[in-house]
């Protein structure tokens, strides 16, 4: 019975999300792929690259801000204290946003997010977002057909993420 109620809640939220502007839906699906909370700079980079916005009348940042502000007004997302991140107000909202994605295309979507991050993050933000990059690439790794790309991802990104995780663990080597 409890899972039926949760399913009904996610369905209701999903219907609410489907009535929002397409750009807001897109921002929510990107957020859902990244996690329960998302750095706004990271979201902005992904949103802009995924949409390659070329609207001359309005800048990319304005379209991006509008998409996020609708989600904030609808109380689907909330800012953190210093307004550098947004977070889903409830995990059922994240589940509903994630369910907008076609299950057959999930791996490709995650791979696209991972590639965008791997190619566009500055040196300063690379380490901060390393686990997110590695996670996105891992979700789509099986779709990578080019051997050189697989070697770079496995040999550099996954290895670096593993080293960082080991260094952060409580267990000595």
């Amino acid at each position: 019975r409890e899972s039926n109620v949760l399913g009904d809640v996610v369905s209701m939220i999903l219907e609410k999300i489907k009535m929002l502007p397409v750009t807001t839906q897109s921002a929510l699906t990107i957020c859902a792929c990244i996690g329960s909370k998302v750095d706004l700079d990271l979201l902005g980079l992904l949103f802009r690259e995924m949409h390659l916005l070329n609207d001359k009348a309005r800048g990319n940042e304005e379209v991006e801000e509008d998409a996020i502000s609708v989600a904030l007004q609808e109380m689907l997302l909330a800012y953190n204290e210093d307004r550098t991140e947004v977070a889903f107000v409830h995990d059922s909202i994240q589940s509903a946003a994630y369910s907008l994605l076609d299950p057959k295309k999930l791996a490709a979507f995650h791979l696209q997010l991972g590639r965008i991050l791997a190619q566009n993050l500055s040196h300063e933000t690379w380490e901060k977002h390393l686990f997110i990059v590695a996670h996105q690439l891992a979700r789509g790794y099986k779709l990578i057909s080019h051997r050189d790309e697989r070697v770079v991802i496995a040999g550099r990104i996954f290895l670096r993420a593993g080293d960082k995780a080991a260094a952060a663990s409580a267990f000595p080597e």
Side-chain angles (χ1 to χ4, degrees):
R1 177 163 163 79
E2 188 176 307
S3 67
N4 287 344
V5 171
L6 182 58
D8 291 344
V9 169
V10 171
S11 295
M12 287 177 16
I13 295 168
L14 180 58
E15 291 308 311
K16 178 178 181 174
I17 291 172
K18 286 179 177 179
M19 293 189 304
L20 299 175
V22 173
T23 54
T24 302
Q25 292 179 43
S26 176
L28 288 169
T29 57
I30 291 169
C31 288
C33 288
I34 299 301
S36 60
K37 62 181 180 177
V38 181
D39 178 281
L40 283 172
D41 291 334
L42 195 73
L43 175 58
L45 168 66
L46 290 168
F47 186 86
R48 287 186 300 275
E49 290 295 319
M50 293 291 285
H51 293 281
L52 295 173
L53 298 173
N54 291 317
D55 189 342
K56 302 298 183 204
R58 295 172 10 139
N60 293 352
E61 289 79 16
E62 188 177 339
V63 174
E64 171 194 333
E65 287 173 12
D66 287 351
I68 295 166
S69 69
V70 170
L72 292 163
Q73 289 167 1
E74 293 294 325
M75 295 190 293
L76 301 170
L77 297 175
Y79 284 117
N80 68 342
E81 207 171 280
D82 61 359
R83 298 175 71 90
T84 59
E85 293 179 337
V86 289
F88 285 98
V89 175
H90 193 274
D91 60 350
S92 60
I93 298 168
Q94 182 181 0
S95 295
Y98 195 75
S99 73
L100 284 173
L101 296 166
D102 181 346
K104 294 176 185 167
K105 296 178 182 177
L106 277 176
F109 192 79
H110 282 284
L111 181 59
Q112 185 178 15
L113 294 176
R115 284 175 169 159
I116 290 169
L117 294 174
Q119 294 168 2
N120 292 288
L121 284 178
S122 68
H123 182 70
E124 297 80 37
T125 58
W126 177 254
E127 280 297 312
K128 178 181 175 185
H129 300 301
L130 177 61
F131 292 134
I132 293 171
V133 176
H135 179 73
Q136 296 306 309
L137 292 170
R139 297 288 307 263
Y141 189 75
K142 67 181 179 216
L143 299 177
I144 300 171
S145 58
H146 197 267
R147 184 184 184 286
D148 291 345
E149 185 180 12
R150 290 177 77 94
V151 168
V152 167
I153 289 170
R156 292 187 187 154
I157 297 171
F158 291 166
L159 181 61
R160 178 65 194 122
D163 288 346
K164 185 175 179 179
S169 74
F171 301 105
E173 290 182 18

